Amino acid sequence: MAERKEGTSCEISLKDQGNEFFKSGKYLKAAALYTQAIKKDPSNPTLFSNRAAALLQLDKLNKALDDAEMTIKLKPEWEKGHFRKGCILEAMKRYDDALASFQIASQYNPQSQEVLKKIKKINQLVKDSKRAQEVENMRSNVDMAKHLDTLKPEMSEKYGSEESWKDMFSFLVETMETAVKSWHETSSVDARVYFLHDKEKTQTDKYPPIVNIDKAFESPETHSSCFPFLRQYAEESFSRAACLVAAKNIISYPQVWKGQGSRKWKHAQNDGFFVQFESPSVRKLWFIPSSNEKGQILCRDPEILDVGAHEVVPRLFKEKTSQS
């Protein structure tokens, strides 16, 4: 489609000078020359389109959008105006609106490869943007309770008292959620054991509810000296349950994911962390894998493991088989 010619040689000169400055990356000077030309020919869509392009490069997006709208108003069926508008909306990250503009441009010039490439690009950006929002929602709305719901019947059967097992369940959920949020923020978790103390018996000034075990996984020797201490701590503090959290990447020993075969360990080289729940009647172990998606660290759903095959530490409480 032919562009409208300017009315005088002066206007042509102003536009051509603007084009030369635009080509050399001097967008401010280009925009100023297009403005001078517009004053002489305010109904010329090409001048508004060119100034919109210069303003886009200067990141003056609202003014650029106004010029694109004026281009369309002056010449509605010229694909360049709609294309220009789409580029500006893309820069504004208004991808749905940008896509609509590029599609209109394609209707007026179906053969334009430039337009078709933009449509393909925006479709991908829309898809990526939606996925990025989904990832952010998953990162900010951590809900471990729904993943642990199947544990409730077993806890109820083993502990009977609703108050007793619900306290344990809440303790486990809170510990897991705290670990997931830490991983999302820092890509790490502190190696710790969290204890659920007895509200009436535990001397909280003597036995804090958190024990750091960052050195426990350095060697077989440090590991073997750590878990007897934890057993004694659990007994002397009258703890009802404990929850160990440790990142896979800090565990030199025991590397419980090695030598188990693909049938038992299904997470390959995935980064992540372990959560091991200990109580007199219920023992559970999860691995929470993580991945990098859309530039964000995302914890995946917790995967239940065979605690007998993969335990990070041995049993911390004396086993009880009957309700207490």
Side-chain angles (χ1 to χ4, degrees):
M1 187 178 292
E3 298 183 15
R4 177 176 173 175
K5 294 182 179 180
E6 286 73 7
T8 70
S9 60
C10 178
E11 289 153 13
I12 292 173
S13 175
L14 288 170
K15 188 195 81 165
D16 288 346
Q17 287 180 61
N19 290 348
E20 289 303 315
F21 278 122
F22 187 94
K23 290 176 184 176
S24 63
K26 298 176 181 178
Y27 304 116
L28 189 60
K29 289 184 177 180
L33 286 163
Y34 295 141
T35 299
Q36 291 180 46
I38 287 170
K39 289 178 180 178
K40 295 178 180 297
D41 187 4
S43 60
N44 189 323
T46 302
L47 296 174
F48 281 99
S49 175
N50 287 2
R51 190 171 70 175
L55 292 171
L56 171 59
Q57 295 298 325
L58 294 167
D59 204 31
K60 296 182 178 181
L61 301 182
N62 290 325
K63 290 182 178 180
L65 185 59
D66 289 341
D67 275 0
E69 296 282 13
M70 181 58 73
T71 304
I72 293 168
K73 182 178 180 181
L74 292 170
K75 201 171 184 178
E77 296 184 3
W78 187 36
E79 90 276 358
K80 183 64 73 173
H82 299 283
F83 179 82
R84 197 73 71 204
K85 181 179 177 180
C87 291
I88 296 161
L89 291 169
E90 177 189 353
M92 291 177 164
K93 298 186 179 180
R94 292 167 55 182
Y95 298 132
D96 290 334
D97 293 334
L99 182 60
S101 290
F102 289 133
Q103 287 171 337
I104 294 172
S106 182
Q107 290 173 12
Y108 291 125
N109 186 1
Q111 304 306 316
S112 173
Q113 291 301 309
E114 187 178 34
V115 173
L116 294 176
K117 286 180 181 178
K118 278 291 187 181
I119 290 174
K120 182 178 179 181
K121 178 184 177 183
I122 294 298
N123 274 323
Q124 187 61 48
L125 285 172
V126 169
K127 182 179 178 181
D128 290 346
S129 179
K130 288 180 179 178
R131 180 54 184 164
Q133 186 59 54
E134 289 173 1
V135 170
E136 182 55 37
N137 288 340
M138 286 188 283
R139 281 169 50 86
S140 58
N141 298 309
V142 178
D143 182 7
M144 287 292 108
K146 66 180 180 182
H147 298 296
L148 301 175
D149 200 58
T150 55
L151 187 58
K152 289 180 179 179
E154 182 178 353
M155 282 189 161
S156 177
E157 178 186 351
K158 293 292 177 65
Y159 287 101
S161 166
E162 184 172 347
E163 181 181 357
S164 177
W165 73 259
K166 280 192 172 182
D167 278 351
M168 290 189 184
F169 184 79
S170 296
F171 162 71
L172 173 59
V173 168
E174 183 179 346
T175 302
M176 266 198 182
E177 290 185 350
T178 298
V180 168
K181 290 173 183 176
S182 173
W183 193 270
H184 283 165
E185 292 173 4
T186 65
S187 300
S188 66
V189 290
D190 292 327
R192 291 175 169 177
V193 178
Y194 298 80
F195 288 91
L196 177 63
H197 290 329
D198 187 296
K199 295 177 182 178
E200 296 179 357
K201 297 180 180 179
T202 302
Q203 294 178 265
T204 54
D205 57 334
K206 186 177 180 180
Y207 297 99
I210 299 173
V211 174
N212 291 319
I213 55 169
D214 52 309
K215 304 296 184 183
F217 307 107
E218 292 181 350
S219 68
E221 291 74 25
T222 57
H223 187 262
S224 63
S225 65
C226 177
F227 73 81
F229 164 77
L230 293 174
R231 283 176 176 170
Q232 184 178 357
Y233 194 94
E235 182 177 355
E236 293 180 354
S237 65
F238 298 100
S239 293
R240 298 166 52 210
C243 202
L244 176 146
V245 176
K248 180 187 172 192
N249 59 23
I250 72 155
I251 300 178
S252 297
Y253 180 89
Q255 294 190 344
V256 298
W257 56 91
K258 290 188 175 180
Q260 297 292 341
S262 59
R263 294 180 60 188
K264 291 185 178 181
W265 183 261
K266 302 178 181 179
H267 308 289
Q269 302 301 314
N270 282 2
D271 203 4
F273 59 93
F274 294 93
V275 176
Q276 183 169 324
F277 176 77
E278 291 284 322
S279 71
S281 300
V282 177
R283 300 183 74 219
K284 296 291 178 183
L285 177 65
W286 296 267
F287 180 68
I288 301 182
S290 77
S291 61
N292 191 309
E293 189 167 346
K294 304 304 176 188
Q296 300 271 42
I297 297 296
L298 178 65
C299 286
R300 299 296 181 176
D301 294 346
E303 299 283 348
I304 188 74
L305 301 176
D306 180 352
V307 69
H310 298 285
E311 64 181 11
V312 180
V313 294
R315 179 183 293 278
L316 296 185
F317 294 86
K318 293 179 180 179
E319 185 174 6
K320 292 183 181 179
T321 56
S322 60
Q323 294 181 1
S324 57

